[in-house]
């Protein structure tokens, strides 16, 4: 299967809200498989459909530790139905390469979602998986983790990131 191209900030599509998935067909299942392959190749622990240019409410996650077996989750139309506790952990994103920042999230969340056959599930998680669920669902709302930083930190990010992009462009031209 081909690896999908991951969009990088400031691609306009990353700011769009994705509509619900209504058809659970082979096309959806193929997209989910391709996204998983792209995520593992990156490597990353989560990927949302808008990051590969598809506006659909689909995310893939695998937050298993490196010494554990893989635990791949395909979540269609996912939503956080409850959350508790405050956490502040460092996050990064395949769409914002080279930048990490502490983001405020719930410590533990319950996610309701459908699998690629349309069956409903609920999953409660804390730790990395809990944060990952919140981060990936944000993508479906057109939100990046940098949108959750304070205005000051966000403007510092923009400055730093755009400068980095410019330097990369100049290197490519040279
Ligand atoms: Ni992300």
């Amino acid at each position: 299967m081909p690896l999908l191209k991951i969009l990088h900030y400031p691609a306009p599509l990353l700011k769009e809200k994705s509509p619900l998935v209504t058809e659970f067909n082979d096309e959806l299942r193929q997209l989910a498989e391709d996204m998983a392959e792209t995520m593992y190749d990156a490597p990353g622990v989560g990927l949302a459909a808008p990051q590969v240019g598809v506006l659909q409410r689909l995310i893939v996650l695998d937050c298993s530790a490196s010494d554990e077996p893989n635990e791949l989750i395909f979540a269609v139309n996912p939503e956080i139905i409850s959350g508790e506790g405050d956490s502040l952990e460092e996050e990064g994103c395949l769409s914002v390469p080279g930048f990490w920042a502490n983001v405020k999230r719930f410590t533990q969340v319950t996610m309701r979602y459908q699998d690629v056959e349309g069956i409903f599930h609920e999953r409660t998680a804390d730790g990395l998986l809990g944060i990952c669920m919140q981060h990936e669902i944000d993508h479906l709302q057109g939100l990046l983790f940098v949108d959750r930083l304070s205005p000051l930190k966000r403007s510092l990010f923009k400055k730093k990131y755009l400068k980095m992009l410019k330097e990369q462009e100049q290197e490519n031209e040279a």
Side-chain angles (χ1 to χ4, degrees):
M1 287 305 117
L3 294 176
L4 304 169
K5 187 176 176 282
I6 298 175
L7 298 178
H8 290 169
Y9 175 90
L13 205 124
L14 293 171
K15 299 208 70 128
E16 300 223 8
K17 207 172 155 181
S18 294
L20 287 172
V21 171
T22 52
E23 299 210 29
F24 295 81
N25 52 21
D26 285 346
E27 206 181 317
L28 177 73
R29 287 182 278 274
Q30 188 62 57
L31 174 63
E33 294 288 347
D34 290 348
M35 281 171 57
E37 205 179 323
T38 305
M39 171 185 77
Y40 285 126
D41 179 73
V45 293
L47 191 65
Q51 292 182 274
V52 294
V54 180
L55 289 176
Q56 283 197 30
R57 300 188 87 81
L58 165 66
I59 62 175
V60 302
L61 306 160
D62 188 342
C63 294
S64 55
S66 52
D67 58 347
E68 289 171 6
N70 283 353
E71 200 212 347
L72 179 59
I73 302 171
F74 293 145
V76 183
N77 301 329
E79 50 179 333
I80 301 295
I81 54 170
S82 68
E84 60 183 66
D86 294 317
S87 87
L88 188 67
E89 294 287 337
E90 189 170 75
E91 294 182 26
C93 179
L94 294 176
S95 293
V96 191
F99 187 81
W100 293 266
N102 286 332
V103 183
K104 243 180 102 177
R105 302 277 187 191
F106 290 122
T107 309
Q108 179 177 294
V109 289
T110 298
M111 175 176 80
R112 186 164 191 264
Y113 66 100
Q114 286 164 281
D115 61 28
V116 290
E117 307 298 333
I119 314 286
F120 280 96
H121 301 269
E122 274 182 26
R123 177 73 188 259
T124 299
D126 57 12
L128 181 61
L129 180 56
I131 288 170
C132 207
M133 287 172 178
Q134 296 171 79
H135 176 118
E136 298 310 327
I137 290 175
D138 267 0
H139 277 296
L140 307 180
Q141 298 298 110
L143 284 176
L144 297 174
F145 76 101
V146 292
D147 294 316
R148 292 203 176 271
L149 302 178
S150 68
L152 176 66
K153 283 193 177 149
R154 197 164 56 236
S155 69
L156 284 174
F157 153 73
K158 273 191 188 161
K159 246 173 138 172
K160 202 172 140 187
Y161 191 84
L162 296 176
K163 190 174 159 223
M164 190 183 82
L165 284 184
K166 220 172 170 182
E167 282 167 1
Q168 281 175 357
E169 258 169 46
Q170 283 164 350
E171 269 172 37
N172 290 343
E173 279 165 17

